[in-house]
Amino acid sequence: MNKKKRTAMIVTFTLGAFLFAGTALADILDKSGYDQLKDAIKMTAQNCTENYQSFTLNMSMDMKDNGKVVMSESMITKYDVKKGAREETSQSQNSSNRTNSSYSTYNYYDEEQSIGKSSFDDNYIVTTFKDRKNQMTLDKEDNPFNQEEAKDMERILDALVGSLRDHVIVTENADGSKSMTGNLSEAQIPALINALASFQMKQQFNGNQEGITDLSSDVYVKEVRGTAEVNQEGALESILGSAIVSGVDVQGETHEISLEILFELRDINNTKVVKPDLKGKKVITQEVNENQDSHLPTPEKFVGTFKNDIIMEQDGKFVKIGERVVEITSLDKKAAQGNYREELKEGFEEYASSADIFTFEASFDNEDSNNATLEASTEDGSKMSGNMYFDGHSGRISLYLNHGTSVNNKVRDDYDFRPDFD
């Protein structure tokens, strides 16, 4: 289960909405504070990739619509450089109007093995890396500030810093650490940022994501707040950012979409990563050899039909009411094309999801990746996005859309598809 973290929901909103909210957060700092924050972030990235022997990263996101939580995600990652080990625990909750689903994942990695489990599967997947050592901790190449893209983003942020240099409070603490706080109201947010945010919000909140409000007009950033803690060495220990976006939906109702994101670095050089004891657990084992590409998706393995059962709760028990079908029609090193449909038994047609038929193209991250970014189109022309993972060992396909698809809490979500040999 060496899957990339989906971040399906958190990715689309965070990289969209909070990109601009985060930009505004940076803009609340005066030049001195702004540079101090940038320096702290850069030092933290360098320490995590080059200097720290162990540490724990905690990241979380909560999104609310008029005070109601609609999305919540959290991830705790532990690194032990000396042992060459990493541990990840994540939880996700989607509470839209039509579905309330949650899932969790656990992954352990060291130089010889990986161990993974999700809440959708009772099995622990244990992968042994033969004839090679698996790189599972960070190194200098993982520092994003060594990449040209980060330098470009820094120049953009620098250019956006304008007249907002007096809206920050930098407190020098007695132990040599620093606290930074600031906030921007609607009137203080530059017109450029609000215009960009309005455009981005309309793209994200366009009615194509189930349970997410369709904001059609009067979209603007209402408020941005942020706090940051920097230790005595000048490294960032935590940053908490929040933003409120206001807008009007197609029915004329006003919505306030709030987003809160927390980043926390703790237990520096004191983090312990312990390999899980699988005694008494259900375990599936597999091996990966140095010169094998067997984990990669190939047309021979994945062009064809994959299915899972649509299950719901009825009269206190689970019953099968149909099947979800993924058909891969073509696949190469760059992308996979295909279609998805739901086949409901007679009498259960009302339980079809809002995205029961669509075509898709999933583009692989690179030629050595099992992970692919999905773009899909329904029969009525609606667009959707998501993620697909092709497991070359277990023969499964995992499909995640960036919105819920169930229409009733009785219908159980299942993201894994298995080959249909009938």
Side-chain angles (χ1 to χ4, degrees):
M1 188 177 290
N2 188 14
K3 298 181 181 179
K4 277 196 173 185
K5 175 76 173 122
R6 273 89 56 192
T7 289
M9 299 173 185
I10 191 172
V11 167
T12 55
F13 191 84
T14 302
L15 295 187
F18 207 69
L19 172 62
F20 297 106
T23 300
L25 175 61
D27 283 341
I28 68 176
L29 302 173
D30 63 14
K31 182 59 176 177
S32 175
Y34 176 74
D35 285 337
Q36 289 181 61
L37 181 59
K38 285 202 306 180
D39 290 342
I41 294 173
K42 290 179 181 179
M43 178 177 288
T44 303
Q46 181 177 4
N47 285 337
C48 289
T49 55
E50 299 181 40
N51 300 326
Y52 293 153
Q53 292 303 300
S54 67
F55 57 92
T56 299
L57 285 177
N58 176 28
M59 292 178 285
S60 64
M61 181 279 286
D62 289 291
M63 187 172 71
K64 298 179 181 180
D65 183 350
N66 285 341
K68 177 186 175 183
V69 176
V70 292
M71 292 183 188
S72 178
E73 296 211 5
S74 64
M75 185 172 185
I76 298 175
T77 306
K78 297 181 178 181
Y79 292 89
D80 190 329
V81 177
K82 186 175 181 179
K83 291 177 61 176
R86 183 174 93 238
E87 183 181 52
E88 299 174 350
T89 304
S90 69
Q91 292 187 341
S92 178
Q93 179 78 29
N94 177 24
S95 304
S96 68
N97 294 329
R98 305 174 70 183
T99 182
N100 190 335
S101 62
S102 63
Y103 64 88
S104 61
T105 62
Y106 171 83
N107 290 282
Y108 166 88
Y109 307 93
D110 61 27
E111 293 180 339
E112 297 178 349
Q113 280 189 332
S114 70
I115 301 172
K117 185 184 183 305
S118 78
S119 56
F120 301 122
D121 194 337
D122 292 333
N123 297 303
Y124 285 82
I125 310 299
V126 179
T127 303
T128 300
F129 304 98
K130 297 188 66 177
D131 304 323
R132 69 178 174 95
K133 291 187 179 296
N134 199 42
Q135 178 65 40
M136 282 303 165
T137 54
L138 300 174
D139 57 27
K140 187 175 181 179
E141 293 182 358
D142 295 309
N143 186 342
F145 291 100
N146 291 334
Q147 307 299 319
E148 190 62 33
E149 292 84 353
K151 298 176 183 178
D152 292 337
M153 180 58 69
E154 182 179 351
R155 285 191 286 268
I156 293 173
L157 292 177
D158 288 343
L160 286 172
V161 174
S163 60
L164 303 174
R165 304 176 186 275
D166 299 324
H167 294 271
V168 66
I169 299 174
V170 180
T171 303
E172 298 276 354
N173 301 318
D175 61 357
S177 63
K178 298 177 182 179
S179 300
M180 301 179 182
T181 62
N183 65 84
L184 288 175
S185 64
E186 172 192 346
Q188 295 167 318
I189 297 173
L192 174 60
I193 292 177
N194 243 327
L196 291 172
S198 175
F199 173 78
Q200 185 69 19
M201 293 304 96
K202 288 180 181 179
Q203 304 307 307
Q204 298 295 335
F205 294 85
N206 56 9
N208 288 335
Q209 299 187 43
E210 185 173 352
I212 302 300
T213 301
D214 183 1
L215 297 181
S216 59
S217 62
D218 297 331
V219 181
Y220 63 93
V221 179
K222 185 175 182 179
E223 180 183 271
V224 177
R225 293 179 178 270
T227 62
E229 299 294 333
V230 178
N231 65 19
Q232 298 92 326
E233 289 74 35
L236 185 70
E237 288 190 339
S238 69
I239 184 167
L240 174 64
S242 63
I244 298 177
V245 176
S246 180
V248 178
D249 65 18
V250 292
Q251 285 79 35
E253 180 181 352
T254 299
H255 291 259
E256 286 193 351
I257 308 296
S258 63
L259 178 70
E260 182 175 275
I261 295 180
L262 171 67
F263 166 89
E264 189 177 39
L265 179 66
R266 64 175 189 264
D267 298 332
I268 297 172
N269 295 328
N270 288 311
T271 293
K272 305 295 183 183
V273 177
V274 180
K275 191 172 185 177
D277 182 4
L278 300 184
K279 184 178 181 180
K281 306 295 185 181
K282 296 181 180 179
V283 177
I284 296 176
T285 60
Q286 56 193 23
E287 293 184 350
V288 176
N289 293 324
E290 170 66 23
N291 296 320
Q292 275 189 332
D293 290 331
S294 60
H295 67 288
L296 295 176
T298 63
E300 292 77 13
K301 289 181 179 180
F302 286 102
V303 170
T305 302
F306 295 74
K307 294 182 177 181
N308 70 34
D309 294 336
I310 303 176
I311 296 173
M312 68 172 289
E313 186 176 345
Q314 187 179 63
D315 299 328
K317 61 182 180 180
F318 292 117
V319 296
K320 177 180 176 180
I321 64 172
E323 293 180 327
R324 302 179 183 90
V325 182
V326 169
E327 184 179 5
I328 305 298
T329 55
S330 64
L331 183 147
D332 56 28
K333 292 183 178 181
K334 294 183 178 180
Q337 292 82 29
N339 58 77
Y340 169 93
R341 65 182 183 277
E342 295 178 6
E343 299 175 349
L344 279 299
K345 293 182 179 180
E346 185 177 354
F348 293 95
E349 293 84 357
E350 64 181 290
Y351 294 101
S353 71
S354 60
D356 57 341
I357 300 177
F358 59 82
T359 59
F360 62 82
E361 178 170 349
S363 301
F364 292 109
D365 296 345
N366 53 65
E367 292 187 357
D368 296 320
S369 177
N370 298 69
N371 195 72
T373 300
L374 179 142
E375 299 292 336
S377 300
T378 62
E379 289 186 318
D380 64 2
S382 297
K383 303 297 182 182
M384 298 183 298
S385 62
N387 177 271
M388 293 190 77
Y389 185 87
F390 296 79
D391 193 325
H393 294 295
S394 68
R396 297 182 183 182
I397 294 176
S398 298
L399 171 62
Y400 306 92
L401 295 176
N402 291 340
H403 60 84
T405 57
S406 298
V407 298
N408 192 297
N409 287 341
K410 294 182 179 180
V411 178
R412 296 300 184 250
D413 291 324
D414 190 348
Y415 304 104
D416 292 331
F417 295 78
R418 297 158 183 83
D420 178 27
F421 296 108
D422 295 337

